[in-house]
Amino acid sequence: MVKKTVRRMMPASRIGRFVVGIILILGGLLGFLPVLGFWMIPLGLLILSHDFASVRRFRRQSEVKLGRWWQRCREKKSSEEEGDE
């Protein structure tokens, strides 16, 4: 469901994706302003990763690190819950 939504919303042309990705990243750098937010930086990188191998590599490495961190947190939480019983 998410994949279909992203495909429908992402510009079809490479130049369009490049422009949207750069605009989102630049807007994210101004995240301290009320309308913009820091959430725009990862979204811009996600869009750029569709066309650029270096950004795609960075995104995949970040996903792996985040997944491993999330797994450690879940294991730690479950072991703490078992210790409470």
Side-chain angles (χ1 to χ4, degrees), residues 45-58:
L45 289 173
L46 182 67
I47 290 173
L48 287 177
S49 72
H50 188 75
D51 293 315
F52 297 100
S54 59
V55 180
R56 186 171 33 250
R57 203 171 302 117
F58 173 75

Side-chain angles (χ1 to χ4, degrees), residues 66-83:
L66 182 64
R68 288 178 181 163
W69 173 80
W70 184 257
Q71 187 67 28
R72 281 194 311 267
C73 288
R74 289 181 59 179
E75 289 172 357
K76 184 178 177 182
K77 185 177 179 181
S78 66
S79 67
E80 287 176 357
E81 289 176 356
E82 289 175 3

Side-chain angles (χ1 to χ4, degrees), residues 20-61:
V20 170
I22 294 297
I23 288 173
L24 284 169
I25 290 172
L26 292 175
L29 295 175
L30 300 173
F32 58 89
L33 296 173
V35 177
L36 306 173
F38 294 111
W39 59 269
M40 297 170 77
I41 295 172
L43 186 60
L45 289 173
L46 182 67
I47 290 173
L48 287 177
S49 72
H50 188 75
D51 293 315
F52 297 100
S54 59
V55 180
R56 186 171 33 250
R57 203 171 302 117
F58 173 75
R59 177 184 52 87
R60 287 180 180 165
Q61 289 172 350

